[in-house]
Amino acid sequence: APALSLLVLQVPGPVVGAPRDREVLPRTELSHPCSRSISRHVRKNLEKEILRPAQKAGLDGWPRGCPLDPSRDLWGKHEKQKQRKRGSGTLWTCGLCGKVFKNEHYLD
């Protein structure tokens, strides 16, 4: 007798507790190993504790290869292009392409 094979597909269903009209989809993982959220935190502290005081003291450049040089910031230019839409709370606009995203994660 010929063998009968069975193919089973799992289709993601709604998550318990989620609104019935919307399916909760998993977030896409970021492709670079350097964490953007940790980078944001470090950048904020670096600006507060080192960069602003150095600028006030008259320092206008950093030694070649200095790890604190803002030009070495992997995500700095991209982060400066993000804008949170006022009044929306969660909408973000990309300064490069003008697209609007429902969450900062999708802009990263």
Side-chain angles (χ1 to χ4, degrees):
L4 179 65
S5 63
L6 180 63
L7 177 62
V8 177
L9 297 175
Q10 274 191 314
V11 179
V15 175
V16 176
R20 291 183 186 184
D21 61 335
R22 285 185 39 199
E23 207 176 299
V24 177
L25 300 175
R27 288 184 166 186
T28 305
E29 291 300 316
L30 301 176
S31 59
H32 197 280
C34 183
S35 167
R36 285 184 183 248
S37 61
I38 293 173
S39 295
R40 279 185 208 107
H41 182 70
V42 170
R43 183 181 308 105
K44 181 180 175 181
N45 288 329
L46 187 63
E47 286 175 357
K48 178 182 173 186
E49 301 293 331
I50 296 174
L51 301 178
R52 282 189 218 128
Q55 188 178 24
K56 287 180 183 177
L59 182 67
D60 59 353
W62 294 90
R64 183 178 173 99
C66 177
L68 303 178
D69 185 352
S71 68
R72 296 186 60 159
D73 186 349
L74 179 65
W75 305 118
K77 291 177 185 175
H78 188 259
E79 289 289 319
K80 285 182 172 55
Q81 296 299 320
K82 294 181 184 181
Q83 292 181 339
R84 179 179 268 171
K85 298 268 281 184
R86 291 186 177 200
S88 71
T90 60
L91 294 179
W92 289 78
T93 303
C94 175
L96 299 172
C97 68
K99 290 182 181 178
V100 177
F101 296 86
K102 65 181 181 178
N103 189 305
E104 186 180 17
H105 172 82
Y106 297 104
L107 187 52
D108 284 344

